[in-house]
Amino acid sequence: MRNDPVVIPVHLLYRDEAGGSAVPSVPSGATVVGRRRGTGEQRKVVVPEPAPVAQAPLAQAPLAQTSVAQGPVERPGPSGPGWAAVAAGLAAVAGCGSVLWWVGLVPGPLRVLLGLPARTYDGIGTAGWGALAALAAVGLCAFGGLTRGREGYASVLTLFGAYRGSVRRTGLVWLSPLLVRRRVDVRLKHWRSEPLPAVDRNGIALRVVVLVVWRVADTARATLTVADHTGYLRGQVEAGLARVPVDAPSAAAAVGDALTRQVAARSAAAGIEVFSVQPVRIDYAPEVAEAMRHRNVAALDAKDRDRALASVVDAVEDTVRRLTARGLVGELDDYERKALVRELTVAYLGGR
C-alpha cells in the first residue's frame, strides 16, 4: 500500500477565539502548500502520514509455576544379602591364612592341626604385604557392613551429606561401611495433643484435644526435611483448626473429617501419611467457661427468686381471701388491704 501524504485544508486549522482573532494551529512536521492562482483554492497543509512501526511478535511469558521444595524422594539404597558378605569375609580370612602359610608364618601346632606341610620363612616381601592388605580390606568391608534389618524400621543412607537411598530389607543385610545410616521408625503411631486453641462458628474460644494417627511414608523426606515429626504435626493441626470452625461435640465427626483432609494434604509434602485427625475432647476456653458458669448461676438464682416470689404471692392471696371469706377482718378499704398484704408478704419472705 502506498503511503500518500494527508492533505488538510488550511481553513480547518483556524478557529475563532473569544477576542475575534484567528490563531493558526499547524501540526508539528506539517508542510503548508500555497494555493494555485486563478482557482480560488485555499492554502493547504500537508501532514506526512507516520510510517508504520514494525511490531515484533510478543514473546509469551512463561506461566508462573509455584512449587514447594519437597526434598529428595525415597528410592532403594545400595544393599546386599548378609550371607554373601559373610561368605566374602570368611574367604578373605582364609586367603590371609593361606598367604601367611605360604610365607611360613603359620605356627607349628596350628599347621599340624590343619595338616599343612611345613614351609621355611624367607620374609613376606612386597607381594605378600599387598595380598595381606587387600584381603584384610575385603574382610573389614564385609564384616563391617553387616547389620540387622527389622520389621517396621528403615535405614536412610547418606554419603558426605548427600542422600544415597533407603533400605527396608529385613534380616541380615550388608550396607557399605562408608555410608552414614539413620534408622527411621515407619510403624503406625498415635499422637494425642495437648489442648489446642480453636473457635466455633460464633467466634467463641475453645480448647480442643485431637488424636492423630500417622506414619512415615517417605523416609527420605521425613528424615531430611523435618527435624521433629510431632512438632510438625502439631503445627499442621493448629493451622487446620484455624480454618475449620469447631461445632458442638455432636458434630465432632464432621470436624474430624475436614481436619483429616487438610492435615493429610499438607503433611504429604514432608513424607508423613496422616490417616485420621479426630477431636477427642472439646471444651470452652477457661475465661469463657468462667463467664458461662457465672451466667448459669445467675440464671438459676433468678429462677429460684421468681419461684419463691410466685409462691409467696399465692400464699398472701389465699390468706387474704380466706380471712375475708370467714369474716375475720371485715370489710377492708384499699389502704388497709395494702397494709395487710405488705405485712403478710414480709412475714412469709422472712420465714422463707
Side-chain angles (χ1 to χ4, degrees):
M1 181 179 65
R2 184 177 60 182
N3 294 332
D4 296 331
V6 178
V7 178
I8 303 176
V10 174
H11 69 277
L12 296 179
L13 304 177
Y14 288 83
R15 56 186 178 88
D16 295 334
E17 300 293 337
S21 61
V23 180
S25 175
V26 180
S28 176
T31 303
V32 179
V33 180
R35 65 178 180 177
R36 290 176 294 181
R37 294 184 178 182
T39 61
E41 192 178 69
Q42 298 291 336
R43 291 188 303 168
K44 300 178 181 180
V45 177
V46 179
V47 181
E49 208 174 75
V53 179
Q55 297 183 354
L58 296 178
Q60 295 183 354
L63 298 177
Q65 297 180 355
T66 58
S67 59
V68 180
Q70 298 178 346
V73 180
E74 179 180 342
R75 62 178 184 271
S79 63
W83 61 266
V86 171
L90 294 177
V93 171
C96 289
S98 300
V99 172
L100 293 177
W101 169 79
W102 182 263
V103 298
L105 287 178
V106 176
L110 181 60
R111 178 174 51 80
V112 173
L113 180 63
L114 297 177
L116 299 175
R119 291 189 64 88
T120 304
Y121 175 71
D122 293 332
I124 299 179
T126 305
W129 284 115
L132 286 176
L135 292 172
V138 172
L140 290 176
C141 183
F143 290 118
L146 289 176
T147 185
R148 184 184 63 169
R150 294 191 296 171
E151 291 286 351
Y153 292 88
S155 296
V156 178
L157 308 178
T158 57
L159 180 62
F160 303 115
Y163 176 65
R164 288 293 178 262
S166 301
V167 177
R168 294 178 179 257
R169 301 177 62 170
T170 58
L172 192 60
V173 184
W174 179 85
L175 303 175
S176 174
L178 301 178
L179 299 176
V180 179
R181 312 164 192 174
R182 296 184 185 180
R183 178 157 290 187
V184 183
D185 189 352
V186 296
R187 296 175 297 180
L188 198 66
K189 304 181 186 65
H190 295 75
W191 173 65
R192 184 186 179 96
S193 71
E194 69 277 7
L196 300 176
V199 294
D200 62 3
R201 294 188 181 275
N202 297 323
I204 299 177
L206 302 173
R207 292 293 183 270
V208 181
V209 177
V210 298
L211 181 65
V212 183
V213 182
W214 64 283
R215 72 178 179 91
V216 172
D218 192 308
T219 57
R221 293 180 182 176
T223 304
L224 303 178
T225 61
V226 179
D228 183 9
H229 296 154
T230 304
Y232 180 82
L233 286 175
R234 186 183 188 278
Q236 298 303 324
V237 171
E238 287 184 344
L241 287 174
R243 295 174 174 268
V244 178
V246 180
D247 295 329
S250 58
V255 175
D257 293 341
L259 282 176
T260 301
R261 288 193 297 269
Q262 290 201 14
V263 176
R266 294 175 178 271
S267 301
I272 299 175
E273 185 177 4
V274 176
F275 296 94
S276 174
V277 181
Q278 294 296 330
V280 295
R281 194 178 70 193
I282 302 176
D283 298 325
Y284 287 102
E287 61 276 9
V288 177
E290 186 66 19
M292 294 185 65
R293 188 180 68 82
H294 287 304
R295 187 180 64 180
N296 293 337
V297 171
L300 291 176
D301 292 343
K303 187 181 297 183
D304 290 341
R305 286 195 298 268
D306 291 342
R307 188 183 301 110
L309 183 59
S311 63
V312 168
V313 170
D314 293 339
V316 170
E317 181 183 4
D318 182 64
T319 302
V320 172
R321 185 176 63 252
R322 293 174 66 180
L323 289 174
T324 305
R326 295 184 180 184
L328 298 178
V329 295
E331 294 295 335
L332 301 175
D333 56 9
D334 292 340
Y335 178 78
E336 293 174 342
R337 182 179 294 277
K338 290 180 181 179
L340 178 60
V341 169
R342 181 173 62 252
E343 292 177 358
L344 290 174
T345 304
V346 171
Y348 282 136
L349 288 177
R352 293 180 65 87

